[in-house]
Amino acid sequence: MARIWTVYLLCIFLAISCTLAGESAWNGHTIPGSRTPAAFTPYFVPAGAKGYDSASPLVHYSGKWTDSYSASFVGKTLRWTSATKASVTFTFTGTGIEWFGSVDKRHGMADVYLDGRLVDRVDGYSSVARKQQRIFWDFDLDYGKHTIKIINTGKKSKQATGKIIDIDAFVVTQGSAAVQQTAPQLLAPGGQNLVEAAPMQNSAQWILKQQGTTGVHAMQLAIISSSHAIIMDKVEHNPLTIDGHPAWGALYNLNTHAVKPLHVQSNSFCAGGTFLGNGTLINVGGNPVVEDTTAAADFGDVDGLQSVRILEPCDSEDTDNCDIYENHARVRMASPRWYNTVLRISDGSAMIIGGSTKGGWINNATTNNPTVEYFPPKNIQGSNGLPVHLAFLVDTLNSNLFPIAFSLPDGRVFVAANRDAMIYDWQTNTEQRLPQIPNGVRVTYPMTGTALLLPLSPDNNYLPEILLCGGSVVDDTKASWEISSQDPASSQCSRIVLSDAGIQAGWQVEQMPEARTMPDAVLLPTGAIVIVNGAGSGISGYGNVKGQVGASNADNPVLAPVLYDHLQPSGQRFSAVGMPKSDIPRLYHSVATLTPNGDVMIAGSNPNLDRSEVAYGTEYRVEWLKPPYMDAQRPVISTSPGKVGFGQNIELKVTLPPSSSDVKVSLMDLGYVTHAVHANTRLVYLTTSLSDDKQTLTFTGPPNGNVYPPGPGWLYVVADGVPSVGLKVMVGDGQGPPVDVGALENLLKSTDPDQYDEAKGKKAGDGSE
Ligand SMILES: *[C@@H]1O[C@H](CO)[C@@H](O)[C@H](O)[C@H]1NC(C)=O
Ligand SMILES: *[C@@H]1O[C@H](CO)[C@@H](O)[C@H](O)[C@H]1NC(C)=O
């Protein structure tokens, strides 16, 4: 089973991180009220989970075991053995199990069995001695009674000086029985319920499969290569460990489901991200240092509010040299931003939009950062690297965080926030206001909706059209206690064509079959749109409104995806026929993305301050929504162009399914997904011609960087609605975005790094939602 493999790899990574340890950038755990770093201990019992000490009578030992006592052990006791074949057995009821113990030079290897099946061999060797470490974990067991058995193999690594294994504690994720699967709600086009399902062929089946766990909670998600996705989280007690502390970012292997922890130094809580024109990924903004007032522990993280975290291109499947780079002295934003949107624009650089200057919840005039800035920094109308004021972000208070933004085919940028929208010319710093979104619907945090730029096509000269779906009509001037988790979400989708005539005609409104706040809209290579995730009531965030579920500000999870066909006439665009229903609520901090394979990766949900196992708990399980085309005979691309220049004609060798008639090439940006914002998500149809023997498909690269901002993209050949596997290409010349050295130097000279870091005696932001 793949899960065994996953766990196995996880533990290898765990072992590696233990071995390579060195305390490097890690500045350690600080006790509340103190500034002196101490060793961080990952042992943690989230709300809704249960800890069992090594001395618990429910834990059964066989062979020779010895007790050790110390205040630094869980429950002040630890049980260890050097005896080969000595074992420990523990039976529990739940969905997950964690084993905590010590690691050091004297530790050897243990075999771990779950329900009689060997699932892993773990090595407790570490050059650095650490206590209360998570030695093994598995979080996706079926709900029920399970037994973990750990046997000392008597084997050790070469460097190890002993063959010790020890037990400090177990933590059981109690979970609950899966929600009874009900037949998916069947909806006719337009949304009315159907009494009977239309008979369905097997080949037209949508399949939802749960496989893999993310190790760090999936707050932010982006596909970085044909084999990997990056997952970014906030600073919290994730099970995946690095250098003896929880990891807050990871690389997820799409093929093996293994995860590799990343070194993230600063708090990436509610950051945004984008690829640049040269393929480098940046992750921007975040939260201040997590303190005891805002989390269950101090983790020794660095202030993330001005961070620009860099992941250089990482295309090899081994990901050996892939990690996050941070250096706030040289690489940072001019101003602090929490909940900013990051967008790649027509010259391949990043536009960083809005956010608040400190964490909190709904934005207000005190916390607002109504500006844009760029990475690399630009000189716009004399800004010389510093932020450029945007009146739109003042006028759209309060519910205007994580603005919706898309680069348009004329080089300008569409922005929506709260109930408003505009087109922004970043070169001249001018705003063209658009009609207000109808019926009082708000679409940005915490009244979160989702949005897409509909596919662009040469057939209508890349006429742009925006789709907004979901959100809330809750009044954003209300106090938190006047808002309820039961306030209904909006079912409204609104579309506007961004031509003079389209703007004149205004927003066209239609209704989703089910209302959603926090939905994710995912474009498929066929041009179809899948809307997943979200809640039927409440709003984003946690710990604010009345009637919270756990800490969630939202309730009534929407469990079935719905399909949207933007080419159909209004009233016939939605369909949920045959869509499988999940039993995993995906509320605040959920994500979904198209993968290179063509299926949809769905992950996340964590409306909590820290990891929690109380509903709605922290969700690590991944689901894969597989469109029917995954089982069809698919086109195959057998050449790899590497680079796609603007306007360049390129030949692809293809094998098409027999008698293919309608053949298209979709150039896609899979986006950077967080908080229902799918920044950069894009589908551009390319002009194509097929050779007579149907083996050579010639396509023309997009005309310019306005139509497709230079940077990474994915080519899918779509034959009669069935896409190939996506092929990664670099669109444009692959050169970096322009660097204005004067603007960069001025930014560094005129602004401080980590301005709000309390450790520097400055005013602290202490946001937590
Ligand atoms: C603005 O938001 C911050 C952060 O949530 C909060 O601390 C502050 O009280 C708010 N100010 C006003 C005037 O509501
Ligand atoms: C891409 O450009 C950025 C910004 O100038 C730079 O930091 C990064 O190192 C570049 N990446 C590559 C691969 O050259």
Side-chain angles (χ1 to χ4, degrees):
M1 245 183 86
R3 185 162 53 75
I4 302 172
W5 181 231
T6 310
V7 171
Y8 175 65
L9 287 172
L10 289 177
C11 294
I12 290 182
F13 287 127
L14 186 69
I16 288 171
S17 66
C18 292
T19 326
L20 297 182
E23 310 293 313
S24 63
W26 176 242
N27 61 358
H29 165 63
T30 46
I31 315 276
S34 156
R35 299 221 173 275
T36 314
F40 183 85
T41 46
Y43 178 74
F44 178 62
V45 184
K50 198 160 178 210
Y52 296 85
D53 187 57
S54 54
S56 161
L58 299 173
V59 181
H60 300 286
Y61 297 86
S62 144
K64 184 178 184 305
W65 289 77
T66 309
D67 279 317
S68 285
Y69 303 92
S70 158
S72 55
F73 297 138
V74 177
K76 300 198 166 66
T77 63
L78 169 139
R79 217 162 266 193
W80 63 272
T81 181
S82 292
T84 303
K85 295 210 172 121
S87 66
V88 56
T89 307
F90 173 56
T91 297
F92 60 93
T93 299
T95 57
I97 182 77
E98 296 166 82
W99 159 28
F100 289 87
S102 304
V103 295
D104 66 20
K105 289 181 175 154
R106 299 164 306 153
H107 276 73
M109 297 178 187
D111 281 342
V112 181
Y113 292 81
L114 277 174
D115 302 326
R117 220 162 20 88
L118 176 65
V119 291
D120 196 13
R121 169 166 292 183
V122 293
D123 188 353
Y125 172 84
S126 166
S127 59
V128 180
R130 292 196 169 99
K131 297 198 171 68
Q132 299 187 30
Q133 300 296 304
R134 188 182 282 97
I135 309 291
F136 171 87
W137 54 275
D138 188 339
F139 284 144
D140 58 355
L141 302 171
D142 291 336
Y143 177 78
K145 201 173 205 180
H146 299 280
T147 299
I148 184 170
K149 182 173 187 181
I150 300 165
I151 305 180
N152 191 346
T153 62
K155 296 198 165 67
K156 65 176 196 68
S157 65
K158 251 195 226 135
Q159 320 90 293
T161 57
K163 298 172 179 177
I164 293 176
I165 69 163
D166 68 40
I167 307 291
D168 195 348
F170 290 106
V171 174
V172 173
T173 304
Q174 294 171 302
S176 58
V179 179
Q180 204 55 45
Q181 281 279 43
T182 49
Q185 199 190 357
L186 297 166
L187 298 161
Q192 47 299 29
N193 284 335
L194 283 180
V195 182
E196 258 175 83
M200 247 181 335
Q201 292 160 326
N202 263 352
S203 62
Q205 220 43 279
W206 287 74
I207 293 165
L208 185 71
K209 187 176 172 193
Q210 186 218 308
Q211 187 171 16
T213 50
T214 49
V216 305
H217 163 258
M219 177 189 290
Q220 307 163 41
L221 175 66
I223 300 293
I224 60 164
S225 70
S226 55
S227 58
H228 281 83
I230 187 171
I231 294 171
M232 294 295 287
D233 190 24
K234 61 181 178 184
V235 169
E236 65 176 327
H237 276 102
N238 286 318
L240 190 64
T241 307
I242 189 160
D243 288 355
H245 68 81
W248 308 311
L251 296 178
Y252 187 100
N253 189 315
L254 301 166
N255 303 320
T256 65
H257 304 280
V259 285
K260 167 184 156 159
L262 293 170
H263 288 90
V264 181
Q265 291 177 42
S266 62
N267 192 358
S268 51
F269 189 7
C270 300
T274 185
F275 291 96
L276 301 173
N278 58 10
T280 293
L281 179 80
I282 58 168
N283 176 252
V284 181
N287 217 37
V289 174
V290 167
E291 312 219 1
D292 56 307
T293 49
T294 56
D298 288 354
F299 292 86
D301 52 307
V302 172
D303 182 2
L305 275 167
Q306 283 167 263
S307 291
V308 177
R309 307 171 194 84
I310 294 187
L311 181 77
E312 295 293 6
C314 168
D315 283 322
S316 69
E317 179 150 10
D318 64 26
T319 67
D320 279 354
N321 299 315
C322 305
D323 214 331
I324 301 251
Y325 170 80
E326 284 186 68
N327 174 2
H328 297 195
R330 295 293 306 169
V331 182
R332 65 165 183 269
M333 284 189 284
S335 60
R337 294 178 196 269
W338 178 82
Y339 281 82
N340 51 186
T341 293
V342 187
L343 183 74
R344 189 165 79 255
I345 53 176
S346 52
D347 68 357
S349 51
M351 175 189 264
I352 302 163
I353 312 168
S356 19
T357 54
K358 59 186 252 178
W361 180 49
I362 194 163
N363 204 8
N364 61 47
T366 315
T367 54
N368 198 19
N369 186 343
T371 65
V372 290
E373 61 182 288
Y374 298 86
F375 186 84
K378 287 186 187 299
N379 187 0
I380 303 286
Q381 312 276 314
S383 68
N384 205 13
L386 301 180
V388 178
H389 184 78
L390 220 58
F392 179 78
L393 290 176
V394 176
D395 298 346
T396 51
L397 283 170
N398 293 324
S399 182
N400 70 354
L401 294 178
F402 272 122
I404 288 163
F406 290 99
S407 289
L408 298 176
D410 66 1
R412 295 186 296 165
V413 172
F414 170 86
V415 186
N418 207 342
R419 288 179 294 180
D420 292 289
M422 69 147 175
I423 301 177
Y424 181 59
D425 186 331
W426 57 269
Q427 284 167 308
T428 58
N429 185 29
T430 47
E431 303 178 5
Q432 177 191 354
R433 299 293 174 103
L434 296 170
Q436 191 162 55
I437 299 160
N439 304 319
V441 175
R442 302 173 202 277
V443 294
T444 48
Y445 179 92
M447 318 301 179
T448 309
T450 192
L452 285 175
L453 172 64
L454 293 179
L456 296 172
S457 166
D459 296 345
N460 61 4
N461 198 25
Y462 311 102
L463 182 64
E465 185 168 2
I466 298 287
L467 171 72
L468 306 174
C469 287
S472 173
V473 295
V474 166
D475 178 355
D476 68 344
T477 60
K478 271 188 178 175
S480 58
W481 60 86
E482 297 174 302
I483 302 173
S484 161
S485 68
Q486 305 305 311
D487 290 342
S490 169
S491 60
Q492 178 170 301
C493 289
S494 315
R495 274 167 71 160
I496 192 167
V497 177
L498 297 179
S499 60
D500 289 346
I503 293 168
Q504 187 77 36
W507 293 93
Q508 310 299 311
V509 165
E510 56 201 321
Q511 304 299 322
M512 295 187 281
E514 292 175 279
R516 293 186 200 234
T517 176
M518 300 176 272
D520 282 289
V522 179
L523 257 176
L524 303 182
T526 56
I529 292 163
V530 188
I531 298 173
V532 296
N533 298 345
S537 68
I539 60 174
S540 289
Y542 55 83
N544 308 104
V545 307
K546 63 182 184 204
Q548 291 163 33
V549 184
S552 172
N553 287 351
D555 194 11
N556 297 299
V558 188
L559 297 171
V562 64
L563 261 182
Y564 182 79
D565 182 346
H566 71 98
L567 294 174
Q568 293 299 315
S570 180
Q572 299 175 26
R573 293 175 183 152
F574 290 103
S575 152
V577 175
M579 285 305 230
K581 193 170 175 178
S582 176
D583 56 15
I584 303 179
R586 304 278 186 187
L587 304 176
Y588 187 47
H589 291 153
S590 301
V591 287
T593 182
L594 178 68
T595 72
N597 241 342
D599 56 1
V600 178
M601 176 180 183
I602 302 170
S605 193
N606 187 25
N608 296 287
L609 182 60
D610 198 342
R611 183 182 150 205
S612 169
E613 299 298 341
V614 175
Y616 297 108
T618 309
E619 191 53 65
Y620 294 99
R621 289 172 295 177
V622 185
E623 289 169 293
W624 308 86
L625 180 64
K626 296 178 182 293
Y629 59 62
M630 295 298 286
D631 287 328
Q633 192 182 347
R634 299 173 67 180
V636 175
I637 311 176
S638 47
T639 43
S640 175
K643 257 184 207 162
V644 174
F646 293 118
Q648 187 189 356
N649 288 328
I650 294 177
E651 285 185 357
L652 284 182
K653 291 277 169 248
V654 293
T655 311
L656 301 175
S659 67
S660 299
S661 56
D662 177 23
V663 181
K664 293 191 171 82
V665 176
S666 299
L667 171 64
M668 298 190 75
D669 190 318
L670 306 185
Y672 188 101
V673 185
T674 186
H675 290 79
V677 172
H678 291 237
N680 298 323
T681 298
R682 203 174 195 84
L683 192 169
V684 178
Y685 290 113
L686 301 180
T687 308
T688 58
S689 67
L690 191 58
S691 64
D692 288 343
D693 65 2
K694 298 199 171 184
Q695 292 180 10
T696 306
L697 185 61
T698 306
F699 69 87
T700 310
N704 53 49
N706 294 341
V707 171
Y708 192 98
W714 295 84
L715 282 180
Y716 296 85
V717 171
V718 185
D720 297 327
V722 176
S724 66
V725 167
L727 185 69
K728 195 177 180 198
V729 293
M730 176 59 81
V731 181
D733 60 11
Q735 299 295 304
V739 177
D740 182 330
V741 176
L744 171 63
E745 290 306 327
N746 188 51
L747 181 158
L748 294 177
K749 191 177 77 197
S750 320
T751 67
D752 287 334
D754 305 337
Q755 296 166 38
Y756 283 10
D757 189 346
E758 199 177 67
K760 297 199 172 85
K762 304 254 169 80
K763 186 175 70 165
D766 64 345
S768 58
E769 290 94 32

